[in-house]
Amino acid sequence: MPLLVNGARVDLARPTGDMIRAHPHLEEKAKLLRSQPAQTVEPKGLLYVQQREFAVTTPKDGSVSILGSDDATTCHIVVLRHTGSGATCLTHCDGSDTEAEVSLIMSSVKSFSSSTGCGRLEVHLVGGFNDDRQLSQKLTNQLLRAFDLQPEDVHLVTFCVTELNDREEQDIHFPIIYGIAVNVKTAEIFPATFPVKGPDEDLRSAHTLTGAPLTNIYDAKTEQLRIGPYFWGPFPHVDFWLEQDDAQILQNLSTSPLAEPPHFVSHIRSTLTFLKEHPFPSRSLFPDRKPRIYKKNEEGLWEQVCSDKI
């Protein structure tokens, strides 16, 4: 069975505006979520998920209590949760391969829920806005369609995307919510910002910028964050891009130049610099072809561990 709202199948042949009007509680819930100020989530107990990454864990996890992601403009952040097992997945989708990505996160959550007799799969979609190129709306439609194709019932619980996450200021549109977090113990979802987006922020961003597919970064059974091994070749025209001024980088390397957070350009420059410094990560970063592995220490912060200790 497919995507359901209040037990009824969503009619994807009609515009999303019709769905919102048919289910006013979705709009009310989006309004409530938008009205909450973004909470600053500190690194303790946090697993930060970057674009084209996902992570899944359960309430039994002794290391991670919060999954989160931000800096979503046209991107959408998806939370999929099984109410019986509490298994929770968070991913940051950009529309690169939505159908395959949804299948991947469905499998990841079901793998922690197979022995649970009761409960249901619930999905929460947040992000996007009324952008000029309508990339947000396209991604919203892709996600709804992809969940509707699943053999299992998936219940749409939160729908705060595109037109329901849009604000206008001097004829320019912006997202209202750029980031969210989910508490895997309580299932609470809330707008959030993250001062620390690591570990290995530049490495993970470089992986995305070089065209990586959606990647699982966490092993909930061992409570380990696993980064890589990642491989790419020299980034095309990296020197050219690093020579450009901020306006050129914003205009050419963003899907929504007018709506990006203020640190977007510095983040891209940092990632490009990393790519220039590591044109062949197989030599400089992953010579032994093993992932960089992190575990939470006693302070609840990520600490790299040697692979031979595992």
Side-chain angles (χ1 to χ4, degrees):
M1 275 293 286
L3 187 66
L4 307 170
V5 178
N6 276 0
R9 184 171 186 176
V10 175
D11 183 0
L12 295 180
R14 298 168 67 186
T16 52
D18 288 1
M19 181 181 76
I20 294 161
R21 283 185 286 277
H23 302 285
H25 73 281
L26 286 177
E27 188 166 9
E28 281 303 308
K29 186 156 187 180
K31 187 177 178 182
L32 189 63
L33 191 64
R34 293 194 309 262
S35 70
Q36 297 176 36
Q39 297 182 37
T40 301
V41 179
E42 298 299 338
K44 186 174 182 179
L46 166 69
L47 199 171
Y48 183 83
V49 175
Q50 288 202 25
Q51 186 173 333
R52 278 195 224 163
E53 293 181 340
F54 75 95
V56 60
T57 191
T58 73
K60 296 174 185 174
D61 195 316
S63 301
V64 170
S65 53
I66 300 281
L67 300 175
S69 189
D70 65 355
D71 294 345
T73 52
T74 56
C75 291
H76 290 14
I77 301 168
V78 180
V79 175
L80 181 68
R81 182 174 181 273
H82 190 278
T83 59
S85 66
T88 303
C89 177
L90 184 144
T91 187
H92 184 135
C93 293
D94 61 9
S96 55
D97 193 2
T98 306
E99 201 172 305
E101 291 167 359
V102 166
S103 294
L104 199 54
I105 65 171
M106 285 285 292
S107 297
S108 70
V109 170
K110 287 190 294 182
S111 70
F112 286 92
S113 312
S114 54
S115 60
T116 309
C118 58
R120 67 182 198 173
L121 287 163
E122 296 185 344
V123 67
H124 308 263
L125 306 178
V126 181
F129 67 109
N130 284 334
D131 63 284
D132 291 342
R133 296 164 63 190
Q134 296 191 311
L135 296 173
S136 302
Q137 186 62 62
K138 182 182 176 186
L139 180 53
T140 296
N141 294 342
Q142 285 177 355
L143 283 165
L144 292 173
R145 200 175 308 113
F147 279 108
D148 193 56
L149 288 170
Q150 300 308 308
E152 299 83 7
D153 288 355
V154 183
H155 297 263
L156 179 62
V157 176
T158 304
F159 191 66
C160 186
V161 291
T162 310
E163 64 200 272
L164 292 178
N165 191 43
D166 183 79
R167 68 180 178 89
E168 195 176 343
E169 197 176 300
Q170 297 177 338
D171 296 328
I172 299 172
H173 290 265
F174 299 88
I176 297 170
I177 298 173
Y178 282 83
I180 59 166
V182 56
N183 184 318
V184 297
K185 314 291 186 192
T186 66
E188 180 195 5
I189 292 173
F190 52 92
T193 60
F194 308 89
V196 178
K197 304 176 196 286
D200 284 332
E201 181 180 357
D202 285 336
L203 167 59
R204 292 157 67 187
S205 297
H207 184 233
T208 301
L209 200 58
T210 53
L214 186 70
T215 303
N216 184 7
I217 58 167
Y218 189 61
D219 183 343
K221 292 183 173 69
T222 58
E223 300 183 6
Q224 293 176 345
L225 180 65
R226 304 168 76 89
I227 306 300
Y230 298 150
F231 306 111
W232 58 75
F235 192 76
H237 315 298
V238 67
D239 289 319
F240 168 81
W241 287 116
L242 284 168
E243 288 166 3
Q244 302 309 301
D245 60 24
D246 289 2
Q248 284 295 321
I249 286 180
L250 196 56
Q251 198 62 41
N252 289 284
L253 297 180
S254 167
T255 58
S256 48
L258 297 176
E260 291 292 357
H263 54 267
F264 174 83
V265 172
S266 61
H267 168 71
I268 290 290
R269 284 194 188 281
S270 182
T271 305
L272 288 168
T273 301
F274 186 88
L275 283 164
K276 182 177 179 177
E277 291 170 352
H278 299 282
F280 298 102
S282 56
R283 298 176 197 166
S284 59
L285 298 169
F286 301 103
D288 57 0
R289 302 292 198 271
K290 291 179 180 177
R292 295 160 74 99
I293 297 173
Y294 296 84
K295 281 184 78 79
K296 289 286 190 183
N297 61 20
E298 290 179 1
E299 286 77 48
L301 306 177
W302 293 115
E303 195 171 83
Q304 192 167 2
V305 295
C306 297
S307 53
D308 57 7
K309 292 181 182 175
I310 296 150

